[in-house]
Amino acid sequence: MKVSRLYLAFVFFVLYMPIFYLIYYSFNSGGTMHHFESFTLDWYKEVFADTRLLVIVLHTMIIALLSSSLATIIGVFGAIAIYYAKHRWKQTLLTLNNILIVSPDVIIGASFLILFTIAGIQLGFTSVLLSHIAFSIPIVVLMVLPKLQEMSPTLIDAARDLGANEWNVLTKVVLPYITPGIFAGFFMALTYSLDDFAVTFFVTGNGFSTLSVEIYSRARQGISLSVNALSTLLFLFTLFLVVVYYVMTQRTSVKGGQK
């Protein structure tokens, strides 16, 4: 047990050390990541004073919230359709869903670029939104489907025996039962949308940008600790979403245990 715990601690150390290194030097007044001179918040002030950057943050949040919300709605009904599909079609649909998840982001981004070019869709807000919805749907399906498989068929049979129609079964039985999976899918889709770079890099254009693309372009221009500050804020926001999701799942489990 001690060896496994030490190994787990080492893995987390390797994963999080670069992030903490980046956060540490975001407070450096020296302007480099080689020697820490003194504590300062100037880089964070520079980030909040950049009007263009604040607009990009707003674009990123709008894209993330819209795409995750729409992907959650589509993904929930997609998971329900897969759950009720015949065994042969179920395996085929699951395979097609999983292919979209394991496919490299570069291939997905290039495919969307070709599709939007052929369809005559101008690169910008619409193309980024459609792309984010598309790659978020399979994630939502994978989050919701296990909850559907956990649900006992006798719940639905009992509801029908009591006179519930299909709409009542869906809204009063199925959706409340899979609510934790729905929230999990929403927050996963939101995180993926905020974090995505490769797909967005291919489909953005006409002056529209997101935080990940902006951070990449700024890093290419040279090392600036404003990038560290911006990345730190993005990391803290993502951490906040994870904490919110954890609290919600804990409350749901407690309520379920009380019932």
Side-chain angles (χ1 to χ4, degrees), residues 36-256:
F36 192 92
E37 294 186 3
S38 62
F39 180 87
T40 184
L41 294 175
D42 290 343
W43 304 112
Y44 290 88
K45 294 177 182 178
E46 181 178 322
V47 169
F48 286 108
D50 192 338
T51 306
R52 178 179 177 275
L53 184 60
L54 294 179
V55 172
I56 292 174
V57 171
L58 180 62
H59 288 168
T60 304
M61 295 303 302
I62 292 174
I63 287 290
L65 290 172
L66 279 178
S67 64
S68 55
S69 299
L70 294 173
T72 300
I73 296 172
I74 299 171
V76 166
F77 287 102
I80 294 174
I82 293 175
Y83 177 74
Y84 285 107
K86 294 182 179 179
H87 181 72
R88 181 183 62 183
W89 287 107
K90 182 181 294 186
Q91 294 302 319
T92 303
L93 292 172
L94 278 175
T95 301
L96 293 174
N97 184 78
N98 293 335
I99 288 175
L100 293 174
I101 294 179
V102 300
S103 297
D105 289 343
V106 174
I107 294 177
I108 295 176
S111 301
F112 278 126
L113 176 61
I114 295 172
L115 175 64
F116 294 144
T117 302
I118 295 174
I121 299 176
Q122 191 175 23
L123 298 182
F125 177 84
T126 303
S127 61
V128 174
L129 178 62
L130 292 176
S131 301
H132 282 224
I133 292 173
F135 69 67
S136 296
I137 290 174
I139 300 168
V140 176
V141 171
L142 284 187
M143 294 292 105
V144 175
L145 199 55
K147 296 299 295 182
L148 286 169
Q149 294 170 344
E150 289 177 8
M151 184 175 60
S152 175
T154 56
L155 289 174
I156 298 176
D157 294 336
R160 288 172 176 167
D161 291 340
L162 292 173
N165 55 32
E166 295 299 325
W167 177 253
N168 288 331
V169 169
L170 176 64
T171 57
K172 304 294 184 181
V173 179
V174 177
L175 290 181
Y177 190 90
I178 65 174
T179 297
I182 295 174
F183 279 113
F186 172 79
F187 282 109
M188 283 292 290
L190 184 66
T191 304
Y192 268 73
S193 178
L194 289 171
D195 197 40
D196 178 72
F197 166 74
V199 176
T200 308
F201 182 77
F202 278 94
V203 298
T204 191
N206 296 313
F208 184 85
S209 183
T210 61
L211 265 178
S212 57
V213 177
E214 179 66 14
I215 291 173
Y216 172 76
S217 62
R218 291 193 176 205
R220 290 191 62 185
Q221 294 173 1
I223 298 176
S224 173
L225 296 189
S226 62
V227 175
N228 290 44
L230 180 59
S231 301
T232 300
L233 294 173
L234 186 60
F235 171 75
L236 292 177
F237 179 75
T238 305
L239 185 63
F240 171 76
L241 293 179
V242 173
V243 172
V244 169
Y245 168 68
Y246 175 78
V247 172
M248 292 178 65
T249 52
Q250 288 297 108
R251 288 182 177 177
T252 303
S253 61
V254 170
K255 289 180 181 179

